[in-house]
Amino acid sequence: MDRPQHELTPTTNGPSTGRLAALGGRRQQIALFGLLAVVVAVASLAIATTRWIRADTARTANAATTAGLYQDARFYSAQALGFFDQYQLHHDKAASDAANAAVDQLRATFKLLGQIPSEAATVAALQRRANDVVALGKRSHALKTAGRHAAEAKVDLQTDAAARAAIVALSQSEIDAQARSSTSLQRIRRNANRLEFATPIVLGGVLLLALLVCMVLVRDRRRMTELATTDSLTGLPNRLALANVVSSALREDHDLAKSAHGCALLLLDLDRFKEINDGLGHEYGDELLRAVAARLRNSVSAGDTVARIGGDEFVVVLDSATGEDAEAVAARLRSALCVPFTIDSIELSLDVSIGIAISGGDQDDLRHPSALLRAADLAMYAAKELGGGHVRYTPELGTRISEKLTIVGQVRRALDHDELVLHYQPQVRLDDHKLVGVEALLRWDHPVRGLVGPAEFLPAVEDHQLIDRITHVVFAKALRQAKAWEAQGMRIPISVNVATRALLNASFAEDVADLLKEYAVDASLICVEVTETTVMRDSARCARTLRALHDLGIRLSVDDYGTGYASMVYLKNLPLDELKIDRSFVARMITDQQQRVLTQAVIELGHNLGLSVVAEGVESPEVCQELRASGCDVAQGFLYSRPVPAEEIAAWHEDADRAAAVHIPAQRASVEMA
């Protein structure tokens, strides 16, 4: 199908695609990287601080250990001197052994102190003094044993002096060690207090920071979700939010599948909104959409959902409703929107086309959000064809519109492959039977079906944007053919039918002017045919376009005159050149007196307005003679020729010239032979 179909895809708790999702993802990544960097920095600082405290504690502990060793050295040194003194007095072997043991302990202590780099020099000096004390003691013992009493006093004095010096040195070292020990213990306790106090603060700070960042991320994600699921212009839920609402409603209504209730979806399309938006500007269009959204919210129940899915399309979701309920809501919405809006003192009127689709019951194929919205879209499309109002979806309606949209898709492909061609039907002047022009009629040269008439495909696209492209192709082919005939010495005017949509296009006249310049064709060779129904659909806009075409030099003709509902006023106000009588009048004018009278009245009216009159559908000599007797100017129909390719028009033109001023039967014979 060619018409774009709406899709609804349920989403999770946030945007999954699009610019907002990308923005939210980038912001979250930045926040996470920031959190990680802060946590790493704080953790690194905490680790460095802890290491410093531990190192300082270790250094302090080492200092305390050193102080303890010095205290041990002081003790063993004093013990050794005491035992030596005892030995000096009593020459007791036990005292000598105890002194030697104390000396061994002192040496072991000095050895431990010597392993501490900062204490090596001090320990070496103390050890020398201790060795001197031991040496003096041993010497004193030897002298006494030898009976050298004269030198004993001197040795004792020297020993005593050396011993006292060593004791003083060790005592000073002990004092220093005790001071260091006291300081170290204080530092150890202080560092322990620091660790005990700093650790929970650092951990608490990290956790608090992580909590704050998480709160920011949650708030940011909630904001991103809100932006991604809310229409920024009206504040209504958008397509993403609608998908979740419809999915939830369908899940809740699954038990009602066999009942008349179900999830009802109403798709609203504002008629004439584009005209207001383009004519007054987007500012007025935006304000109008906001006003429409407010009215829709005020026209539904609290449990119903109103969403805007883009452009001038809105959706109303009823959780559980019957077909009658949905149609009643649709009628209420139409009534609310038909009341004129006032925007900056300008009164604006709207109408709305509403498509209704309901899940449940026998609509088993409408159990998915996208299927439900597509069904409502088809129903809305049907409502637009009817000129507004609301239409409820049925499988038969879906089949019919689907077939129509399938044709639209096929016509698009036909345009892409240049399969649309023009055939031409001659228009003959009744006075002398000369060719005065042709009408270009569209055909589809289908690769399988052959030539397909316009009645099989044009109705499907006449209100579709594709008709603008078709009109451009028809004009381009007609102008190219007019130029080719002119190059062959034949100046043949061509009439081209124009759809309503083309006349409502503000740039249509400009596009035609560009084509005339591109193909270098005299504008007087082109006649634009419009129906009175086309003109009356939007007379003001169509009149502007027709005047612009007339200013280019293009002739204007009213086709199928007499079949519309307003046949007089626009004939006076529009710059028309030609009036074409509908074939329904011409075909029965011989057998129906009233039809004859009406046909004659139309001919007289056209002449009184200064218009040339063309009769369509002329198929018999009797009708042709009656038309000529009534003063009709030009005839067109199967009596002269069916629509034929451009190549046959040249031959027909030559035959028509040779058959000039010949009676109708002879003319018909020459046409048939051609």
Side-chain angles (χ1 to χ4, degrees):
M1 292 188 294
D2 183 76
R3 176 179 170 83
Q5 296 297 305
H6 296 293
E7 296 290 340
L8 287 181
T9 302
T11 60
T12 56
N13 293 329
S16 58
T17 58
R19 188 175 300 174
L20 286 177
L23 176 61
R26 286 195 295 271
R27 293 183 62 176
Q28 291 178 4
Q29 289 177 1
I30 293 173
L32 288 175
F33 279 122
L35 172 62
L36 181 62
V38 171
V39 170
V40 170
V42 172
S44 299
L45 179 61
I47 292 172
T49 302
T50 303
R51 285 183 176 179
W52 178 83
I53 293 175
R54 288 178 177 175
D56 187 66
T57 302
R59 288 193 298 271
T60 305
N62 290 335
T65 301
T66 303
L69 291 175
Y70 274 117
Q71 291 176 356
D72 291 343
R74 169 69 180 84
F75 172 76
Y76 294 134
S77 176
Q79 191 178 43
L81 289 174
F83 285 127
F84 274 127
D85 288 341
Q86 184 177 355
Y87 176 77
Q88 291 281 345
L89 294 175
H90 304 290
H91 299 283
D92 185 4
K93 186 176 184 304
S96 176
D97 294 338
N100 291 330
V103 169
D104 292 338
Q105 292 290 337
L106 180 62
R107 286 175 176 171
T109 303
F110 281 155
K111 184 176 181 181
L112 292 175
L113 283 170
Q115 295 176 357
I116 301 174
S118 61
E119 305 299 327
T122 302
V123 170
L126 292 175
Q127 197 167 8
R128 285 195 298 272
R129 291 184 182 182
N131 291 335
D132 292 341
V133 171
V134 173
L136 289 172
K138 290 181 177 181
R139 184 178 178 185
S140 175
H141 175 68
L143 290 173
K144 285 183 179 182
T145 303
R148 297 175 64 178
H149 299 287
E152 181 179 353
K154 183 178 180 180
V155 171
D156 287 340
L157 291 175
Q158 292 177 348
T159 302
D160 184 66
R164 298 305 175 193
I167 292 172
V168 169
L170 289 173
S171 298
Q172 185 63 44
S173 298
E174 178 186 5
I175 293 172
D176 295 340
Q178 287 177 347
R180 287 197 299 268
S181 176
S182 176
T183 304
S184 298
L185 291 175
Q186 291 178 1
R187 290 178 65 180
I188 290 173
R189 285 193 293 269
R190 187 164 58 248
N191 289 340
N193 292 335
R194 288 175 182 173
L195 285 175
E196 183 179 359
F197 181 73
T199 300
I201 291 179
V202 172
L203 292 178
V206 172
L207 292 177
L208 179 61
L209 181 62
L211 179 61
L212 291 176
V213 173
C214 289
M215 291 175 62
V216 171
L217 290 177
V218 170
R219 186 186 64 179
D220 186 65
R221 183 170 182 82
R222 186 180 296 115
R223 178 59 178 164
M224 289 298 103
T225 301
E226 181 181 351
L227 291 175
T229 57
T230 303
D231 177 55
S232 60
L233 179 64
T234 63
L236 295 175
N238 63 6
R239 185 186 300 272
L240 292 176
L242 178 66
N244 292 330
V245 170
V246 176
S247 297
S248 177
L250 289 175
R251 285 194 298 270
E252 292 176 1
D253 292 340
H254 73 279
D255 292 333
L256 302 176
K258 300 302 182 182
S259 71
H261 291 75
C263 174
L265 191 148
L266 285 67
L267 177 62
L268 295 79
D269 184 86
L270 304 180
D271 299 332
R272 296 195 301 274
F273 173 78
K274 187 176 186 300
E275 177 183 349
I276 295 172
N277 197 53
D278 294 344
L280 298 179
H282 295 294
E283 295 81 5
Y284 283 87
D286 291 346
E287 288 297 326
L288 183 58
L289 289 174
R290 294 189 187 98
V292 168
R295 285 196 187 178
L296 292 177
R297 279 194 297 258
N298 294 332
S299 300
V300 299
S301 302
D304 301 331
T305 300
V306 180
R308 177 176 177 239
I309 60 174
D312 58 349
E313 290 186 329
F314 294 82
V315 169
V316 175
V317 180
L318 312 177
D319 282 346
S320 180
T322 63
E324 291 74 16
D325 295 336
E327 291 185 7
V329 173
R332 187 165 68 246
L333 295 176
R334 285 194 64 209
S335 299
L337 296 181
C338 285
V339 177
F341 296 83
T342 301
I343 308 294
D344 288 344
S345 301
I346 299 178
E347 191 173 274
L348 303 174
S349 297
L350 283 177
D351 200 354
V352 61
S353 299
I354 304 177
I356 304 172
I358 303 177
S359 65
D362 57 352
Q363 303 293 322
D364 290 335
D365 57 332
L366 302 183
R367 304 302 300 174
H368 189 274
S370 293
L372 193 63
L373 185 59
R374 282 196 297 270
D377 187 49
L378 292 175
M380 186 269 290
Y381 187 75
K384 276 190 170 296
E385 285 187 323
L386 297 175
H390 61 268
V391 173
R392 182 179 170 187
Y393 173 82
T394 62
E396 295 76 19
L397 173 68
T399 300
R400 179 174 64 83
I401 297 179
S402 296
E403 291 175 352
K404 182 175 181 178
L405 296 179
T406 299
I407 294 175
V408 172
Q410 293 175 349
V411 172
R412 183 187 296 277
R413 287 189 291 273
L415 283 167
D416 293 338
H417 293 84
D418 195 24
E419 294 174 0
L420 298 185
V421 298
L422 293 182
H423 282 198
Y424 302 89
Q425 187 172 35
Q427 296 174 336
V428 177
R429 188 162 54 214
L430 288 174
D431 286 343
D432 55 11
H433 310 298
K434 282 193 173 183
L435 181 70
V436 294
V438 294
E439 179 180 0
L441 298 171
L442 188 61
R443 299 289 186 269
W444 179 4
D445 189 6
H446 197 281
V448 177
R449 299 169 58 190
L451 285 179
V452 178
E456 296 189 40
F457 64 91
L458 276 185
V461 298
E462 59 186 356
D463 288 325
H464 193 276
Q465 60 183 0
L466 203 61
I467 196 67
D468 295 330
R469 185 177 172 190
I470 293 175
T471 302
H472 182 88
V473 169
V474 169
F475 261 92
K477 289 180 177 292
L479 291 174
R480 190 184 303 117
Q481 188 57 57
K483 187 67 175 179
W485 282 334
E486 193 172 24
Q488 298 173 23
M490 297 180 293
R491 187 176 174 83
I492 303 176
I494 300 177
S495 296
V496 179
N497 291 279
V498 176
T500 304
R501 186 183 178 97
L503 291 182
L504 295 177
N505 187 346
S507 64
F508 176 66
E510 184 178 350
D511 295 340
V512 173
D514 292 339
L515 288 173
L516 289 171
K517 292 179 182 178
E518 179 180 352
Y519 293 101
V521 174
D522 186 356
S524 63
L525 288 177
I526 300 300
C527 178
V528 169
E529 294 188 6
V530 296
T531 63
E532 56 183 319
T533 303
T534 296
V535 175
M536 293 310 299
R537 182 167 175 177
D538 192 333
S539 57
R541 292 175 65 183
C542 289
R544 287 195 296 269
T545 302
L546 290 174
R547 290 192 183 97
L549 293 172
H550 190 266
D551 291 342
L552 293 174
I554 292 175
R555 299 173 65 247
L556 302 178
S557 175
V558 176
D559 195 13
D560 299 335
Y561 183 76
T563 60
Y565 52 86
S567 305
M568 290 293 196
V569 177
Y570 72 89
L571 291 179
K572 173 185 174 183
N573 295 331
L574 295 178
L576 300 175
D577 301 286
E578 182 179 277
L579 197 64
K580 297 187 75 173
I581 306 174
D582 185 67
R583 65 182 66 248
S584 62
F585 291 95
V586 174
R588 299 193 301 272
M589 68 178 298
I590 299 299
T591 58
D592 190 328
Q593 178 64 24
Q594 290 184 341
Q595 294 287 49
R596 182 186 299 113
V597 172
L598 289 174
T599 301
Q600 292 172 347
V602 172
I603 294 172
E604 184 177 356
L605 174 64
H607 288 163
N608 290 336
L609 293 173
L611 305 178
S612 174
V613 180
V614 178
E616 292 185 295
V618 179
E619 298 183 2
S620 69
E622 293 78 16
V623 171
C624 182
Q625 290 173 354
E626 186 66 33
L627 288 170
R628 187 164 64 174
S630 300
C632 186
D633 301 302
V634 177
Q636 173 183 344
F638 290 173
L639 174 65
Y640 299 101
S641 176
R642 293 178 177 274
V644 295
E647 296 78 11
E648 297 185 29
I649 289 295
W652 201 97
H653 180 268
E654 295 175 359
D655 291 341
D657 283 343
R658 287 194 297 269
V662 177
H663 293 297
I664 293 302
Q667 176 66 28
R668 184 181 184 187
S670 66
V671 171
E672 289 176 348
M673 287 187 292

